[in-house]
């Protein structure tokens, strides 16, 4: 590996100006659990790493029952899974964060890094999409907000332009009688990358589904929002037929590939299975809220 | 629970002391190969082929040599022409020419990851950057990835000089055809009430040792070289490196480092000659360490295979005939363990009529190397699945079926001569009587499977020295690298003979100049053969102690006895003397005492194991969870039962990994796509239950302590046992490894479709 410069600014303004100055030759660096591995393996190359962990805005974890959640891009996953508020209001996102790697990895890895790495298989991304989260980005030309489902544009690439930084994720407050869930399929029981990941959030109205969002990972070039899968259950009772229909629609939304982690055929089948399972879990949780 | 026929009143043997190398390992002081550093040391990196099969048209190194910090580059031009012949090295048959072609590709690259050049530089980072500056021009050829593709008429030929024993002067990818037969197979099948015929395919898998290959080479201007490396056989590294480098064996010294796993994979050489060549060019010590990806791409996994098994049984459950065809992927050069697989595939059973045809086939994959009971797990997956099916057809419990057909003392081995005392039936009975097998398995999609396995075990040469120190304690010196706790066993054997506590004996593994020739740590041979050498060396020390005591007492040696660590004069009332009391008198009675022994024992005791596995299958995803697993294995005599259990558990864990998820995944260009432990999936702790063990002790008559090797046979049954358990859980017979979720799900859906189809037709 070649030598790399390292800087750790403490304000957003500093970070943006350093990133801007080096343009394509610099990358933000958070937990490093993706970027360091990639640099060592030679799949990415950069001259400057800009550590964003020391910037206050990126370390916030703030919940308000009306405004929802502000989750700083650099908050380590372990803080999420140990937070009572997160477990209570966003159990799906929390379980996604808790699935990443191992305890050691979760101590460093961030949800922001998970998203900005741009992997189609990132575990927390479908959970964020299911919750309707938006990404707040700051750059040389000011600030913008991007819905998470539009954030990743192709494997390893995001909407971020040189000089831009993900500051935080804004997640709406959960409505009454709603909840979320995330499930992934891996061949082993830990230390694997999702072969399929499905996140879902739903709101119940009596025994009917009032609102729902279903998102899938590792089944296309980017994490996807499966709107038709949600449409299949909205306004309906979540019975076997509805679950079956949602599973089918989720599977139809996928465009997977064959690789060492699974065949396309397998992924299509598992997308439907996990969609059914994850919706049932989310509904059980929602009933209690 | 241990059914033991090994009697003997042991004080140390059979106990469970803490291993002598334990403290160094848990404190991080143990020195593994990559821990060595010397003043002025350079770092080497290896350029590897991105192609599976290509002709090397040119290699240009000028740009790389100009990079500041780069000190030397070697290619195959720097290697002497090695001889094209077959030679025995430890348990391997080696062709020095092929070995040399594997160390650095000569005119062709034969697999993704094949080494082409090595760079030495002042830092590993500079060496790595230099690799990018080496320009190689290739003519890419079509890759030949499977035995089917390699054996097809008109298949691209990997090695233009390769000829086999049947096809005359025709270029071929089939290196050898082995055949073993007995009786009249056709008549056997005629007598059978049930005949099952199945085809099996297994994926290439890796041993998965945690420590990557490494070497530090130091070449001196006087023509002497020293190599520090992590290896299962320092003497083998010496002789193999001598072949490749064209150096006399006596000019090379190999110092074996602590070893972080090998399982057969560290019985050959990769980096060692490169470190010497680079050191010779630069005059400095040179260290090379592989990355994980290099280990997976370019060390020696075990072959994938295609095996067709046809077996027949009478309705009362007697096996009467077997016809077997098997072909193994040797990798880029000949030498798969297919013959071993052929000799083991039905070895646990008496089958009067059989014919086994076995083919060693080269393909564009890394040259395979030994892996725990080489060639036998693949084979047992096939035969033990068919046997399970036959037992089911006959309506006989699968363990009883095995007991009914199982070999015992006097049964003919595949090659003819009868077995001596063996413990196969005892392993079956131990499982049959185990709390696990007696428990009831309840719940949906759960199943229980059993399977058995055989492995020869090896003997081969070992040397040992037992030194009595001036304070009456001792050291045991052997040439066997310790990969499974053998230092503890060596110390225990010496302590037993010398009547000392084990803590008074320090065991060490010496380098190739400091102990007599000792073959590789493999074939489950160390506790058997090196243990025998230690036993004899300790006896030799005892003989000398008796002579010295006799001198002190002015008696004849036969008037002195050695018992429980004490020297006793026969007859009169002379008080007994301990070794500690005698030791200060060594100088004036003849000098230091060193017991010595060198052995090449013939009385190898084969190993058998039987395993039962409970699984639960998720029928919607094809994922298998192993719920419970018990293995019974014949150890002959367990010197240190905990380390015997460790071997049984380790082999079982690897077998379960092989069954469920491990595989070399190549794309259609022949590029390995999963060369990391992320995507090459060995089981994690969460994927395995605590593996229960039952040590059977059926003494090996060929060893003074009754020892058999225990390191390997545990890996043989699990793949078949898991397959048999899956069948009981969801009704599908898996004939391909790994039985990964995509593959099992496909089989379940097909089975379900067929069931619905037949239900609809009813
Ligand atoms: C052993 C292991 C196991 C793993 N298991 C999983 C798993 O189960 N599931 C999973 O999804 N992932 C897994 N990962 C991948 C990784 O841990 C996650 O993607 C993690 O969330 C990345 O976070 P990080 O903070 O470490 O990111 P970093 O590596 O620091 O950064 C990742 C990328 O995002 C960019 N970046 C980081 N922060 C910002 C920012 N604020 N603004 C703009 N760009 C930014 C970086 O430039 C880089 O390209 C695993 C990794 C390892 C090493």
């Amino acid at each position: 590996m070649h030598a790399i410069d390292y800087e750790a600014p403490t304000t957003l303004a500093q970070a943006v100006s350093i990133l801007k100055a080096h343009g394509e030759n610099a990358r933000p660096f958070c937990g490093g659990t993706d970027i360091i591995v990639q640099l060592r393996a030679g799949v990415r190359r950069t001259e400057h790493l800009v550590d964003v962990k020391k910037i206050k805005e990126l370390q916030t974890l703030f919940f308000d029952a009306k405004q929802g959640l502000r989750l700083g891009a650099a908050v380590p996953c372990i803080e999420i899974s140990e937070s009572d508020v997160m477990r209570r209001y966003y159990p799906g996102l929390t379980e996604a964060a808790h699935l990443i790697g191992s305890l050691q990895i979760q101590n460093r890895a961030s949800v922001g890094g998970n998203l900005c790495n741009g992997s189609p298989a990132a575990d927390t991304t479908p959970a964020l999409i299911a919750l309707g989260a938006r990404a707040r980005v700051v750059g040389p030309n000011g600030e913008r907000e991007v819905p998470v489902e539009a954030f990743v544009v192709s494997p390893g690439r995001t909407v971020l332009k040189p000089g831009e930084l993900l500051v935080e994720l804004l997640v709406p407050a959960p409505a009454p009688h709603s909840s979320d869930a995330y499930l992934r399929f891996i061949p082993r029981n830990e230390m694997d990358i999702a072969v399929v990941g499905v996140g879902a959030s739903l709101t119940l109205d009596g025994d009917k589904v009032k609102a729902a969002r279903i998102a899938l990972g590792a089944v296309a070039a980017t994490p996807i929002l499966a709107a038709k899968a949600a449409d299949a259950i909205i306004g309906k009772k979540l019975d076997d037929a509805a679950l079956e229909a949602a599973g089918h629609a989720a599977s139809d939304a996928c465009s997977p590939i064959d690789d060492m982690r699974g065949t396309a055929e397998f992924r299509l089948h598992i997308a439907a299975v996990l969609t059914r399972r994850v919706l049932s879990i989310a509904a059980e949780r929602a009933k209690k809220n | 629970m241990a059914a033991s026929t090994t009697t003997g009143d042991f004080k140390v043997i059979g106990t469970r002391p803490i291993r002598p190398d334990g403290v160094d390992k848990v404190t991080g002081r143990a020195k593994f190969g990559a821990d060595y550093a010397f003043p002025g040391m350079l770092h080497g990196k290896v350029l590897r082929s991105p192609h599976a099969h290509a002709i090397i048209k040119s290699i240009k190194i000028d740009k790389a040599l100009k990079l500041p910090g780069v000190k030397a580059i070697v290619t195959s031009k720097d290697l002497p022409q090695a001889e094209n012949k077959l030679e025995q090295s430890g348990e391997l048959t080696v062709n020095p020419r092929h070995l040399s072609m594997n160390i650095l590709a000569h005119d062709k690259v034969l697999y993704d990851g094949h080494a082409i050049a090595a760079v030495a530089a002042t830092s590993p980072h500079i060496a790595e950057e230099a690799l990018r500056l080496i320009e190689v021009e290739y003519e890419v050829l079509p890759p030949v990835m499977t035995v089917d593709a390699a054996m097809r008429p008109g298949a691209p030929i990997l090695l233009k000089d390769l000829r086999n024993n049947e096809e005359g002067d025709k270029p071929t990818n089939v290196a050898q055809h082995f055949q073993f037969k007995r009786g009249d197979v056709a008549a056997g099948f005629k007598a059978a009430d049930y005949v099952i015929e199945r085809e099996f395919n297994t994926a290439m898998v890796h041993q998965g040792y945690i420590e990557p290959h490494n070497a530090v080479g130091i070449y001196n201007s006087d023509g002497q070289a020293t190599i520090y490396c992590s290896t299962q056989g320092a003497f083998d590294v010496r002789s193999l490196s001598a072949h490749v480098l064209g150096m006399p064996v006596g000019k090379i010294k190999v110092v074996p480092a602590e070893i972080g796993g090998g399982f057969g994979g560290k019985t050959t050489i990769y980096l060692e000659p490169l470190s010497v060549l680079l050191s010779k060019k630069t005059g400095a010590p040179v260290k090379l360490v592989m990355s994980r990806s290099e280990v997976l791409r370019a060390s020696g996994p075990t072959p994938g295979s295609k095996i067709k098994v046809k077996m027949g049984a009478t309705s009362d459950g007697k096996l009467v005939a077997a016809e077997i065809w098997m072909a193994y992927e040797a990798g880029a050069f000949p030498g798969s363990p297919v013959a071993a697989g052929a000799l083991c595939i039905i070895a646990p059973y008496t089958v009067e009529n059989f014919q086994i045809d076995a083919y060693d086939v080269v393909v564009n994959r890394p040259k395979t190397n030994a892996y725990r009971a080489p060639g036998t797990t693949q084979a047992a997956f096939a035969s033990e699945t068919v046997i399970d099916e036959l037992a089911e057809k006959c309506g006989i419990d699968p363990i009883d079926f095995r007991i009914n057909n199982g070999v015992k003392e006097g049964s003919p081995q595949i090659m003819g001569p009868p077995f001596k005392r063996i413990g196969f039936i005892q392993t079956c009975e131990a499982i049959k009587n185990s709390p696990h097998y007696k428990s009831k398995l309840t719940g949906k999609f759960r199943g229980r499977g059993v399977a058995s396995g055989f492995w020869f075990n090896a003997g081969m040469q070992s040397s040992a020295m037992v030194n009595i120190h001036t304070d009456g304690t001792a050291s045991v010196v052997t040439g066997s690298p310790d990969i499974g706790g053998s230092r503890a066993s060596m110390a225990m054997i010496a302590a037993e003979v010398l009547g000392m506590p084990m803590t008074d004996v320090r065991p060490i593994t010496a380098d190739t100049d400091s102990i007599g020739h000792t073959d590789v740590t493999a074939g489950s041979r160390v506790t058997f053969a090196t243990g025998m050498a230690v036993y004899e060396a300790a006896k030799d020390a005892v003989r000398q102690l008796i002579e010295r005591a006799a001198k002190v007492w002015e008696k004849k040696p036969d008037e002195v006895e050695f018992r429980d660590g004490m020297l006793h004069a026969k007859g009169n009332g002379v008080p007994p003397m301990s070794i500690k009391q005698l030791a200060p008198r060594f100088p004036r009675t003849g000098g230091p005492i060193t017991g010595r022994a060198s052995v090449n024992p013939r009385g190898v005791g084969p190993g058998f194991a039987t395993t039962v596995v409970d699984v639960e299958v998720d029928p919607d995803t094809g994922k298998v969870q192993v719920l419970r697993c018990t293995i019974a294995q014949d150890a002959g005599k367990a010197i240190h039962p905990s380390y015997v259990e460790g071997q049984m558990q380790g082999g079982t864990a690897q077998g379960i990994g092989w069954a469920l998820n491990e595989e070399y995944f190549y794309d259609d260009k022949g590029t390995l796509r999963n060369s990391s432990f992320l995507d090459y999936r060995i089981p994690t702790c969460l994927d395995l239950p605590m593996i229960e063990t039952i040590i059977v002790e059926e003494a090996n008559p060929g060893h003074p302590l009754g020892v058999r090797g225990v390191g390997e046979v545990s890996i043989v049954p699990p793949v078949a046992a898991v397959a048999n358990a899956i069948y009981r859980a969801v009704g599908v017979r898996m004939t391909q490894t790994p039985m990964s979720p995509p593959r099992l799900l496909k089989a379940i859906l097909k089975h379900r479709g067929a069931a619905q189809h037949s239900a609809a037709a009813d």
Side-chain angles (χ1 to χ4, degrees):
Chain A
M1 198 172 129
H2 62 291
I4 293 169
D5 288 335
Y6 168 88
E7 282 177 90
T10 51
T11 67
L12 267 179
Q14 279 172 357
V16 169
S17 90
I18 297 168
L19 284 169
K20 188 183 166 199
H22 297 297
E24 300 276 5
N25 291 326
R27 276 201 90 84
F29 160 85
C30 190
T33 60
D34 276 318
I35 190 76
I36 291 182
V37 177
Q38 292 161 358
L39 290 170
R40 288 186 58 169
V43 286
R44 277 201 212 261
R45 222 180 146 89
T46 193
E47 308 301 324
H48 302 266
L49 282 179
V50 183
D51 190 337
V52 297
K53 289 193 289 295
K54 298 203 163 75
I55 307 168
K56 196 171 87 267
E57 289 88 334
L58 275 77
Q59 290 290 359
T60 347
L61 195 169
F62 177 76
F63 175 74
D64 177 277
K66 288 214 183 66
Q67 316 236 292
L69 173 73
R70 306 174 73 109
L71 178 62
V75 173
C77 288
I78 196 78
E79 231 174 274
I80 296 173
S81 48
E82 287 181 353
S83 151
D84 291 337
V85 164
M86 289 301 297
R87 283 204 292 250
R88 169 83 188 78
Y89 295 102
Y90 304 102
L93 177 57
T94 307
E95 61 206 357
H98 192 54
L99 281 175
I100 291 185
S102 60
L103 200 56
Q104 293 92 323
I105 297 294
Q106 287 162 30
N107 279 326
R108 294 199 56 91
S110 62
V111 170
N114 201 213
L115 179 60
C116 294
N117 181 54
S119 160
D123 279 310
T124 58
T125 308
L128 287 170
I129 296 174
L131 288 168
R134 285 160 304 136
R136 187 160 79 90
V137 172
V138 167
N141 304 322
E143 214 185 287
R144 57 184 179 130
E145 275 185 25
V146 183
V148 172
E149 58 268 33
F151 195 86
V152 181
V153 294
S154 64
R157 282 193 47 231
T158 67
V159 294
L160 293 180
K161 300 196 182 76
E164 279 190 325
L165 193 66
L166 172 67
V167 179
E168 61 184 353
L169 294 149
L170 306 168
V171 188
H177 313 301
S178 76
S179 194
D180 70 332
Y182 177 79
L183 281 180
R184 71 171 181 186
F185 180 83
I186 55 173
R188 291 183 293 194
N189 289 316
E190 62 172 345
M191 277 297 175
D192 252 322
I193 297 294
V195 177
V196 176
V198 184
S201 76
L202 53 72
T203 307
L204 294 177
D205 181 7
D207 61 358
K208 294 219 169 101
V209 178
K210 188 168 147 194
R213 284 172 69 90
I214 298 167
L216 294 99
V219 291
T222 67
I224 54 167
L225 175 67
K228 286 197 179 134
D231 291 346
I233 54 168
I234 291 172
K236 301 217 174 79
K237 255 177 73 174
L238 205 58
D239 54 15
D240 285 351
L243 288 172
E244 194 72 25
H248 268 301
S251 184
D252 285 345
C254 304
S255 41
I257 54 164
D258 283 331
D259 69 4
M260 66 280 185
R261 293 178 185 148
T263 57
E265 184 190 8
F266 181 71
R267 287 186 159 106
L268 291 175
H269 181 92
I270 298 299
V273 171
L274 291 192
T275 299
R276 296 198 300 265
R277 290 181 181 177
V278 84
L279 284 171
S280 304
I281 298 169
E284 279 310 307
R285 288 175 179 162
K287 279 181 202 158
K288 296 187 190 120
N289 287 339
Chain B
M1 199 177 19
S4 176
T5 61
T6 312
T7 48
D9 193 8
F10 296 122
K11 292 211 160 57
V12 183
I13 286 171
T15 63
R16 299 171 185 249
I18 288 175
R19 61 199 298 157
D21 48 315
V23 171
D24 272 358
K25 283 188 176 150
V26 297
T27 55
R29 293 211 173 97
K31 244 180 150 167
F32 291 84
D35 295 328
Y36 283 89
F38 296 91
M41 188 173 81
L42 301 173
H43 298 267
K45 290 280 175 191
V46 177
L47 179 71
R48 297 183 181 278
S49 169
H51 303 294
H53 195 189
I55 293 166
I56 301 175
K57 307 204 78 171
S58 67
I59 305 176
K60 292 207 186 94
I61 60 171
D62 332 2
K63 275 190 203 153
L65 271 175
K66 282 192 195 117
L67 185 72
V70 172
K71 298 294 179 190
I73 297 178
V74 293
T75 65
S76 66
K77 287 209 184 86
D78 298 285
L79 292 174
Q81 172 83 281
E83 278 183 87
N84 192 5
K85 61 166 188 190
L86 284 182
E87 201 167 280
Q88 201 65 27
S89 163
E91 60 170 1
L92 303 170
T93 312
V94 175
N95 178 326
R97 172 81 52 85
H98 291 160
L99 185 63
S100 167
M101 289 161 75
N102 198 36
I103 298 296
L104 285 174
H106 290 190
D107 45 359
K108 242 181 148 187
V109 289
L110 292 162
Y111 54 93
D112 169 34
H114 198 159
I116 293 169
V119 180
T122 49
S123 88
H125 304 292
I126 294 174
E128 207 169 271
E129 291 297 306
L131 297 183
R132 288 177 217 281
L133 301 174
I134 300 177
E135 296 158 294
V136 185
E137 201 192 327
Y138 300 97
E139 181 188 328
V140 179
L141 303 171
V144 180
M145 301 308 294
T146 61
V147 292
D148 281 339
M151 294 174 91
R152 202 171 287 149
I157 295 293
L158 271 71
L159 303 166
K160 63 178 190 307
D161 296 334
L162 186 66
R163 300 291 181 272
N164 65 32
N165 46 347
E166 289 183 339
E167 292 174 282
D169 195 33
K170 189 169 151 259
T172 176
N173 292 322
V174 177
Q176 214 167 332
H177 171 202
F178 302 88
Q179 191 175 68
F180 306 100
K181 55 182 176 181
R182 179 189 304 157
D184 180 342
V185 175
F189 280 117
K190 221 175 241 167
D193 297 303
Y194 301 110
V195 175
I196 301 286
E197 188 171 3
R198 295 271 176 265
E199 182 182 307
F200 298 85
N201 287 279
T202 70
M204 174 172 266
V205 298
H206 196 269
Q207 300 84 350
Y209 34 84
I210 296 301
E211 183 202 24
H213 295 267
N214 52 69
V216 181
I218 306 177
Y219 187 90
N220 278 346
S221 45
D222 62 359
Q224 309 259 5
T226 305
I227 302 171
Y228 298 81
C229 64
S230 153
T231 175
Q232 293 176 235
F235 290 85
D236 297 77
V237 169
R238 185 172 68 167
S239 59
L240 297 175
S241 298
H243 274 309
V244 172
L245 295 165
M247 283 173 72
V249 162
K251 296 272 185 210
I252 303 175
K253 170 169 131 182
V254 177
V255 183
E258 284 293 345
I259 175 168
F263 312 108
K266 289 183 186 155
T267 55
T268 185
I269 52 169
Y270 300 103
L271 303 174
E272 293 82 350
L274 299 178
S275 71
V276 174
L277 272 183
L278 288 169
S279 177
K280 190 173 176 182
K281 277 206 167 180
T282 59
V286 178
K287 170 157 141 182
L288 293 113
V289 180
M290 284 194 194
S291 67
R292 176 69 53 204
S293 165
E294 289 179 285
V295 172
L296 288 164
R297 286 168 76 202
S299 66
T302 197
S305 69
K306 182 185 194 93
I307 304 175
K308 293 182 227 178
V309 172
K310 181 178 170 191
M311 274 202 244
T314 55
S315 58
D316 58 349
K318 186 171 155 33
L319 287 171
V320 286
E323 191 171 49
I324 292 162
W325 182 99
M326 51 209 293
Y328 280 22
E329 296 162 355
F333 303 99
S336 79
V338 72
L343 289 168
C344 291
I345 189 162
I346 50 169
Y349 310 102
T350 301
V351 185
E352 269 151 29
N353 310 291
F354 64 78
Q355 177 169 333
I356 306 169
D357 288 281
Y359 298 85
D360 185 36
V361 184
V362 294
V363 292
N364 290 118
R365 292 167 177 254
K367 162 76 175 76
T368 57
N369 197 17
Y371 181 16
R372 254 185 162 137
T376 305
T377 303
Q378 297 92 323
F381 169 50
S383 55
E384 291 287 311
T385 306
V386 169
I387 282 176
D388 196 65
E389 244 186 290
L390 283 171
E392 191 194 18
K393 282 257 186 284
C394 297
I396 298 176
D397 173 275
I399 292 201
D400 289 334
F401 190 90
R402 286 173 170 82
I403 292 175
N404 295 345
N405 290 285
V407 290
K408 32 186 161 307
E409 185 169 354
S411 305
Q413 302 183 51
I414 296 296
M415 296 294 271
F419 277 111
K420 299 218 174 70
R421 192 160 170 196
I422 48 171
F424 174 50
I425 307 281
Q426 291 84 330
T427 66
C428 293
E429 269 158 5
I431 289 297
K432 197 175 163 186
N433 297 322
S434 66
H436 180 174
Y437 202 67
K438 285 183 163 168
S439 72
K440 212 171 136 75
L441 179 64
T442 53
K444 272 178 113 179
F445 309 117
R446 291 180 167 191
R448 174 172 293 167
V450 297
S452 295
F454 162 87
W455 177 245
F456 309 98
N457 294 332
M460 305 200 287
Q461 309 172 85
S462 285
S463 306
M465 281 191 310
V466 171
N467 303 304
I468 312 291
H469 298 309
T470 51
D471 64 351
T473 61
S475 68
V476 177
V477 185
T478 74
S480 294
D482 177 357
I483 60 175
S486 62
R487 264 169 297 189
S489 303
M490 297 308 108
M492 290 169 76
I493 291 173
E496 187 74 52
V497 175
L498 294 167
M500 289 180 188
M502 190 259 209
T503 43
D504 276 0
V505 183
R506 289 171 72 105
I508 69 153
T509 302
D511 64 58
T512 51
D513 282 351
S514 311
I515 184 75
H517 181 93
T518 297
D519 283 319
V520 64
T521 296
S524 300
R525 62 174 290 278
V526 171
T527 308
F528 169 75
T530 306
M532 189 185 282
V534 168
Y535 179 85
E536 298 293 348
K539 288 268 184 198
D540 183 30
V542 167
R543 266 191 298 278
Q544 298 176 51
L545 287 166
I546 289 174
E547 279 169 20
R548 302 305 179 83
K551 263 193 190 161
V552 172
W553 285 324
E554 296 178 348
K555 289 183 175 295
K556 291 200 193 102
D558 60 7
E559 291 171 312
V560 176
E561 258 181 17
F562 183 77
R563 256 183 287 126
D564 297 336
M566 301 292 282
L567 295 133
H568 302 263
K570 274 187 200 161
N572 63 20
V574 181
M577 190 167 29
S578 68
I579 301 178
K580 287 196 163 83
Q581 287 168 319
L582 180 58
R585 301 181 136 158
F586 290 172
R588 269 187 274 158
T589 52
I593 290 185
T594 296
R596 290 176 306 168
S598 290
V599 301
N600 189 2
R602 299 288 169 199
V604 178
F608 289 90
T610 298
T611 302
V612 53
V613 174
D614 294 349
V615 303
E616 180 173 307
V617 179
D618 180 339
D620 293 328
T621 65
K623 184 163 163 173
V624 175
Q625 182 69 35
V626 177
L627 303 172
R628 190 172 180 186
C629 179
T630 305
I631 167 173
Q633 184 180 325
D634 180 13
K637 175 69 199 167
I639 301 295
H640 192 306
S642 299
Y643 301 154
V644 172
E645 289 159 4
Q647 293 297 314
M648 293 163 72
Q649 292 168 323
T652 304
Q654 288 181 315
I656 290 172
W658 193 333
L660 293 180
N661 281 305
E662 293 183 35
E663 68 179 312
Y664 266 52
F665 189 96
Y666 282 97
D667 64 18
D668 52 10
K669 293 203 174 67
T671 308
L672 185 63
R673 299 309 303 270
N674 61 341
S675 62
S676 76
F677 274 161
L678 181 59
D679 288 313
Y680 181 87
R681 299 188 186 89
I682 61 176
T684 71
C685 300
L686 295 185
D687 301 310
L688 296 168
M690 183 63 193
I691 292 158
E692 297 161 56
T693 55
I694 305 170
I695 300 174
V696 170
E697 292 189 318
E698 192 62 41
N700 172 16
H703 191 275
L705 299 165
V707 168
R708 293 170 197 279
V710 297
E712 293 168 287
V713 73
S714 55
I715 201 174
V716 181
V719 182
V722 167
N724 294 337
I726 288 174
Y727 169 70
R728 300 255 149 45
V730 288
V732 297
R733 286 270 176 207
M734 296 302 286
T735 55
Q736 196 175 358
T737 68
M739 295 170 259
S740 57
R743 201 167 276 147
L744 179 54
L745 179 69
K746 201 168 176 175
I748 291 171
L749 293 177
K750 196 172 150 207
H751 178 69
R752 209 183 275 166
Q756 274 167 7
H757 190 76
S758 69
D762 280 347

